[in-house]
């Protein structure tokens, strides 16, 4: 073949191949780590921050999960890993006697970052929610203390525009005091009182606000389907609005999601099963209808890029 023709073919194949590769951003490129349960946050520094669980490659059980990671990205393509920012080893060295480092969350209040995590007691088998603090978004998160027990798993904290903070878990929701640790008992609502489906299905809650409406997203159908609710108040009453993301045909072992607005775009971060029970994080754009309801998010392999 003529040399010039060969060069032209190489260039065309190279460009096409590169654009194909760069168009495939799901799952997110996290240095081959298996990560799950993403909470995406925008701290106003031109990056998206992700607070995640950490799965053991191709694990057979969620009880293999030992620590939590933090990542940040300026473009949605490459993600910086800040390593384990808190671990069961560290908690147990401090006398916690717990296992199952499951879905975490992180919020910023008055210049501090509060990292909320669920862990299960080795002896009493009770799920506990703890919080540790840092002056930096990437931790390390120190001085872990117990927030609540028997609220189930998957803590999420929403800080409203007036500075009030609310804690949401699998079974209950309520307002936090200014210390971000203790709960105002008189505000506590049990999810079974507001749910339209059995409350054990209300896992992976995440609350956000848009145009004075509160959105409560969570997993249902054994974690496979993401659904959402809307309200005029942070603790409800909540109106059921339907599917946010349908089950994955792969099939997904489960799903757990969060929502962030970044550079004027709304995005849904979620995870999908990749190997056995181990998961990887994905993200897709999210859009709203005129009436404030959310358009169902369709999973893509393309993902996000900003
Ligand atoms: O990652 C362990 C558990 O699986 C989480 O706590 C749930 O939300 C589900 O994703």
């Amino acid at each position: 073949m003529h040399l010039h023709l060969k060069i032209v073919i190489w260039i065309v194949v190279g460009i096409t191949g590169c654009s194909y590769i760069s168009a495939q951003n799901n799952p997110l490129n996290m240095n081959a780590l298996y990560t799950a349960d993403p909470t995406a946050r925008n701290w106003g520094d031109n990056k998206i921050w992700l607070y995640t669980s950490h799965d053991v490659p191709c694990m057979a059980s969620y009880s293999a999960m030992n620590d939590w990671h933090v990542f940040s990205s300026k473009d949605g393509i490459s993600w910086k890993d800040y390593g384990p920012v808190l671990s069961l080893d560290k908690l147990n060295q401090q006398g916690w006697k717990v296992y199952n480092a499951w879905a975490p969350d992180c919020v910023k209040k008055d210049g501090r970052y509060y990292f909320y995590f669920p862990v299960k007691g080795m002896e009493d088998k009770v799920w506990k929610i703890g919080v540790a603090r840092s002056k930096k978004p990437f931790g390390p998160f120190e001085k872990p203390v117990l927030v609540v027990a028997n609220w189930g798993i998957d803590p999420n904290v929403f800080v409203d525009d007036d500075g009030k903070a609310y804690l949401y878990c699998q079974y209950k929701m309520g307002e936090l005091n200014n210390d971000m640790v203790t709960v105002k008992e008189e505000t506590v609502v049990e999810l079974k009182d507001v749910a339209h489906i059995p409350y054990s299905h209300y896992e992976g809650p995440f609350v956000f606000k848009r145009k004075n409406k509160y959105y409560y997203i969570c997993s249902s159908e054994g974690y496979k389907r993401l659904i959402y609710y809307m309200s005029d108040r942070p603790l409800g009453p909540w109106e059921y609005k339907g599917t946010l993301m349908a089950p994955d045909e792969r099939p997904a072992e489960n799903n757990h999601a969060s929502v962030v607005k970044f550079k004027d775009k709304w995005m849904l971060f979620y995870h999908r099963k990749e190997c056995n029970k181990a998961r990887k994080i994905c993200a897709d754009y999210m859009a709203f209808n005129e009436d404030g309801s959310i358009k169902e998010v369709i999973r893509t392999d393309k993902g996000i890029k900003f």
Side-chain angles (χ1 to χ4, degrees):
M1 197 187 293
H2 194 283
L3 182 63
H4 283 131
L5 183 59
K6 272 191 185 167
I7 291 172
V8 170
I9 291 172
W10 283 340
I11 291 171
V12 170
V13 169
I15 290 172
T16 321
C18 285
S19 59
Y20 176 77
I21 290 164
S22 66
Q24 304 293 303
N25 297 324
N26 275 334
L28 305 186
N29 173 16
M30 293 179 150
N31 308 327
L33 280 189
Y34 286 87
T35 51
D37 306 320
T39 291
R41 296 291 182 193
N42 176 357
W43 303 132
D45 58 358
N46 284 320
K47 295 175 189 163
I48 286 190
W49 290 83
L50 282 186
Y51 297 83
T52 77
S53 312
H54 178 199
D55 287 356
V56 173
C58 299
M59 64 191 190
S61 159
Y62 297 121
S63 293
M65 297 162 67
N66 293 316
D67 56 29
W68 298 274
H69 279 237
V70 176
F71 299 83
S72 73
S73 178
K74 285 183 179 164
D75 56 12
I77 309 296
S78 57
W79 292 86
K80 178 172 178 179
D81 180 7
Y82 296 85
V85 289
L86 186 63
S87 66
L88 294 181
D89 277 354
K90 195 162 176 190
L91 290 173
N92 289 331
Q93 277 158 20
Q94 297 176 28
W96 277 65
K97 295 191 184 161
V98 288
Y99 64 110
N100 285 1
W102 286 11
D105 191 9
C106 185
V107 288
K108 185 179 181 185
K109 188 163 182 327
D110 302 330
R112 298 233 164 185
Y113 297 85
Y114 294 86
F115 183 85
Y116 293 84
F117 57 89
V119 281
K120 194 167 188 179
M122 285 176 188
E123 287 160 8
D124 57 14
K125 303 292 176 207
V126 167
W127 278 102
K128 298 150 212 270
I129 306 298
V131 65
R133 293 144 247 240
S134 177
K135 287 185 181 156
K136 309 274 186 202
F138 47 83
F141 295 95
E142 309 280 4
K143 300 190 180 146
V145 291
L146 180 69
V147 179
V148 287
N150 284 314
W151 278 40
I153 55 176
D154 297 348
N156 163 241
V157 173
F158 167 71
V159 182
D160 209 343
D161 302 329
D162 59 6
K164 289 183 179 170
Y166 300 87
L167 172 66
Y168 305 84
C169 291
Q170 183 185 8
Y171 299 138
K172 296 182 187 184
M173 55 178 85
E175 189 181 331
L176 287 166
N177 285 308
N178 260 341
D179 59 10
M180 299 296 275
V181 177
T182 53
V183 175
K184 293 185 177 164
E185 281 306 324
E186 68 281 11
T187 67
V188 174
V189 182
E190 289 221 27
L191 266 79
K192 67 177 179 191
D193 297 337
V194 295
H196 80 290
I197 52 175
Y199 77 6
S200 62
H201 290 188
Y202 277 73
E203 300 177 23
F206 185 86
V207 171
F208 68 98
K209 189 177 183 182
R210 177 183 177 267
K211 295 189 176 173
N212 285 327
K213 293 282 180 199
Y214 298 84
Y215 293 78
Y216 179 104
I217 72 171
C218 63
S219 307
S220 73
E221 291 177 23
Y223 275 116
K224 289 184 175 59
R225 181 182 300 275
L226 297 180
I227 56 174
Y228 77 103
Y229 298 75
M230 287 174 70
S231 179
D232 293 326
R233 287 184 282 281
L235 293 177
W238 298 97
E239 183 189 350
Y240 177 59
K241 301 299 282 185
T243 295
L244 173 60
M245 177 176 265
D248 189 359
E249 73 214 1
R250 260 166 258 264
E253 171 71 21
N254 63 25
N255 202 350
H256 181 131
S258 63
V259 171
V260 70
K261 188 182 180 195
F262 185 70
K263 297 190 176 170
D264 277 334
K265 296 226 166 99
W266 289 88
M267 298 166 210
L268 182 77
F269 282 76
Y270 59 99
H271 66 224
R272 71 184 191 200
K273 181 175 135 178
E274 284 288 316
C275 180
N276 225 347
K277 284 200 180 331
R279 300 149 298 172
K280 286 196 174 174
I281 293 172
C282 300
D284 276 300
Y285 290 106
M286 199 173 102
F288 295 84
N289 296 307
E290 279 291 305
D291 65 359
S293 58
I294 309 174
K295 294 186 175 165
E296 187 178 324
V297 181
I298 307 300
R299 297 162 189 265
T300 72
D301 287 331
K302 189 169 176 204
I304 54 163
K305 184 179 178 205
F306 35 87

